[in-house]
Amino acid sequence: MYKRQRKSHPKTPGQKAGHVGVTRKRPQEFDFVVTQTLQACPTCDHKLSRSQGVVKHTQEDIVPAQVKVTCYMKHRYYCKQCKAMKTALAAAEEIPHSYLGPNILIQTAILKYSHGLPFNKIVEVFEGLCGLKVSEGALAQCLQRMSEWLQVEEEEILKAIRESPNIHMDETGWNVSGTKHWLWAAVNKKLAHYRVSVSRGASVAKAIVGENYQGIISADFYAAYNRVSGRKQRCLVHLLRTMREYRMRDNTLEFIKHEKRLKRIVEDSIRLQKRHLILNQKIYKRRVKRIKERLFAWSSGDYENENLKRLSKRLLRFWSQTLTFLDHPEISYHNNLAERMIRQNVIIRKRSFQNRSQAGAKAHGTNMSLIQTLKLQGRDIFTEMKSAYLSHRQGIQSPVLHFASVG
């Protein structure tokens, strides 16, 4: 397998020479002010003069947390009209029938899906931070129940994604109780939707995108995306990566010659997209047409080399989906966004057994979708998820969080 060569002169860490230094911003407001004085010299015990000034030192620290136990006393009344007992409504911070409060549950979700900690580590964090003792199973079940109440918010994310002009899609392996599954991701710059499915077929992608998607889907060359509605942009980084892998094990003159031609076509197309705002539109369209002709001529060439045959077959099959980014310069020629957004799930996969049940897999998709979407939009994850969860637990059925279909 090809191994990346290590640079003999690695980059020097830190800012480049001449850059202004960056330091931590000092707080302007203080919770406590501690004054220290001297009555005598600490070295020789001699009498000192009056104070000649003050040296100010600002220090930030955290307050040790503690568990807060609340008992909700809900009075019951008899209604003569209904002829039944009536109980007072839940309090603002109360989760009916739950022994753990909303702060614990939302913080557990953040530690699990944003920071990638497994449940055993989360248990250690809570016990070490505030002395809370809770089992891994209790936290897992609480997140599953929470995801059921937040599913209405996930549906809003999915609706916004289906209305967005561009979607990046990817999938990766996932285990559910030891059985091979797949985790699918459909994302853009402001929205993220995740789904765990036993299938890697086109039916899952179609279920996510919908039957009549009108935008552009950026994906790799996996054939399942062929049956999904909407235009496609195949990832050129995947193509270049495949070419590099072939080049590492194929040094024939035929391959080297034609691989260089293909690489030049790809690089020319990327450079052209970057110049679309500078060039006159007529000139730009003429150059786009020329690159498409060059790519088609390369794809339809007659080759004896097996690797060249594989590349030409792939490009002929996906020829109309390879240079979509030139007709729509606002989209990317690669699918790096989907790979970056799926990376957090890969980290969780390496640190845990993924999911032990279908309910856990469904909870993973819902909670991860909400947390990553709120993170992409720069919103307060803790505050907004807590508000939405408490609202739904106390009777509100309509969505509380709103997600625009932005690209």
Side-chain angles (χ1 to χ4, degrees):
M1 185 177 178
Y2 169 69
K3 291 186 177 180
R4 198 171 184 178
Q5 296 296 326
R6 185 176 182 181
K7 294 181 179 180
S8 57
H9 300 286
K11 181 181 176 182
T12 304
Q15 293 276 24
K16 294 181 179 179
H19 281 238
V20 179
V22 179
T23 57
R24 180 176 178 81
K25 187 177 180 180
R26 292 184 179 181
Q28 300 301 314
E29 297 181 359
F30 312 109
D31 298 303
F32 303 98
V33 176
V34 179
T35 302
Q36 294 291 97
T37 61
L38 285 175
Q39 300 299 324
C41 177
T43 304
C44 63
D45 202 32
H46 193 273
K47 184 178 180 181
L48 299 174
S49 67
R50 294 180 179 180
S51 173
Q52 304 296 307
V54 176
V55 177
K56 186 167 70 173
H57 169 219
T58 304
Q59 178 176 284
E60 292 180 279
D61 205 348
I62 59 173
V63 179
Q66 61 181 11
V67 178
K68 181 183 73 172
V69 181
T70 304
C71 179
Y72 294 98
M73 306 289 289
K74 294 182 287 186
H75 288 261
R76 304 190 71 198
Y77 305 90
Y78 181 78
C79 176
K80 295 181 180 180
Q81 180 70 24
C82 300
K83 296 182 179 180
M85 296 295 294
K86 300 296 179 180
T87 305
L89 300 178
E93 293 279 322
E94 181 185 3
I95 300 176
H97 312 294
S98 175
Y99 294 101
L100 298 177
N103 293 335
I104 295 175
L105 300 185
I106 302 303
Q107 193 61 58
T108 300
I110 293 174
L111 290 172
K112 174 70 175 175
Y113 300 108
S114 182
H115 301 296
L117 293 183
F119 284 119
N120 63 326
K121 295 297 181 184
I122 297 175
V123 168
E124 292 179 12
V125 168
F126 283 146
E127 186 170 359
L129 183 66
C130 58
L132 174 68
K133 293 185 178 181
V134 62
S135 68
E136 300 174 36
L139 294 179
Q141 291 177 2
C142 286
L143 290 189
Q144 290 178 20
R145 289 193 292 267
M146 185 174 72
S147 70
E148 294 174 0
W149 292 95
L150 293 176
Q151 190 172 353
V152 64
E153 306 294 346
E154 181 196 16
E155 292 172 356
E156 286 295 298
I157 296 175
L158 185 58
K159 180 181 177 181
I161 284 179
R162 290 172 176 173
E163 296 174 354
S164 60
N166 180 220
I167 302 175
H168 293 257
M169 297 192 71
D170 199 5
E171 72 288 330
T172 189
W174 197 260
N175 283 333
V176 177
S177 191
T179 304
K180 183 71 172 182
H181 283 60
W182 298 91
L183 186 141
W184 292 75
V187 304
N188 59 26
K189 293 181 180 179
K190 293 295 182 179
L191 299 166
H193 173 77
Y194 301 91
R195 181 175 302 189
V196 177
S197 175
V198 71
S199 172
R200 199 191 178 194
S203 59
V204 183
K206 291 172 69 175
I208 295 174
V209 174
E211 294 294 334
N212 299 305
Y213 181 64
Q214 302 298 317
I216 300 173
I217 297 176
S218 298
D220 55 25
F221 289 88
Y222 182 42
Y225 298 110
N226 293 347
R227 297 169 56 189
V228 182
S229 59
R231 296 193 65 182
K232 314 294 188 307
Q233 170 58 54
R234 301 294 176 166
C235 179
L236 294 189
V237 173
H238 279 78
L239 176 61
L240 292 172
R241 189 181 302 155
T242 302
M243 292 163 57
R244 184 176 68 240
E245 291 173 356
Y246 288 164
R247 187 171 65 249
M248 294 304 299
R249 60 174 183 263
D250 191 340
N251 294 321
T252 61
L253 293 177
E254 182 187 12
F255 181 82
I256 293 174
K257 174 184 175 182
H258 294 291
E259 187 267 345
K260 285 184 177 180
R261 281 182 52 216
L262 178 57
K263 186 177 180 181
R264 191 177 302 115
I265 294 171
V266 173
E267 291 176 345
D268 287 347
S269 66
I270 295 173
R271 280 194 294 266
L272 180 59
Q273 185 208 30
K274 294 178 180 179
R275 300 187 62 197
H276 80 278
L277 293 176
I278 302 174
L279 295 174
N280 179 277
Q281 285 302 303
K282 290 184 177 180
I283 297 175
Y284 178 77
K285 290 180 179 179
R286 186 166 63 245
R287 294 186 180 181
V288 169
K289 181 181 179 182
R290 175 57 183 156
I291 285 182
K292 289 182 177 181
E293 291 173 350
R294 290 168 59 193
L295 181 62
F296 183 78
W298 193 99
S299 305
S300 56
D302 186 16
Y303 307 107
E304 295 183 1
N305 184 280
E306 291 299 323
N307 290 324
L308 291 174
K309 287 181 179 180
R310 292 190 189 97
L311 287 172
S312 63
K313 183 179 179 180
R314 172 183 289 189
L315 290 174
L316 277 178
R317 186 178 183 184
F318 298 106
W319 179 81
S320 62
Q321 304 173 5
T322 307
L323 299 176
T324 306
F325 74 101
L326 292 179
D327 297 325
H328 299 271
E330 69 277 5
I331 71 171
S332 301
Y333 63 88
H334 53 72
N335 197 32
N336 291 353
L337 177 60
E339 294 191 354
R340 290 199 306 270
M341 292 303 298
I342 216 169
R343 178 62 182 167
Q344 184 64 24
N345 298 275
V346 176
I347 294 173
I348 293 175
R349 182 178 67 193
K350 292 178 180 294
R351 295 179 177 177
S352 68
F353 293 106
Q354 291 98 81
N355 299 121
R356 303 300 296 271
S357 65
Q358 291 296 334
K362 189 173 182 180
H364 180 94
T366 299
N367 294 329
M368 181 65 81
S369 298
L370 280 169
I371 287 176
Q372 294 300 325
T373 297
L374 291 171
K375 185 185 294 186
L376 285 173
Q377 298 190 5
R379 296 158 69 173
D380 190 317
I381 299 174
F382 185 90
T383 302
E384 301 219 21
M385 281 194 68
K386 178 181 176 181
S387 174
Y389 181 47
L390 287 174
S391 298
H392 295 313
R393 286 305 306 260
Q394 295 174 11
I396 298 177
Q397 298 181 357
S398 58
V400 175
L401 308 176
H402 300 285
F403 306 99
S405 58
V406 290

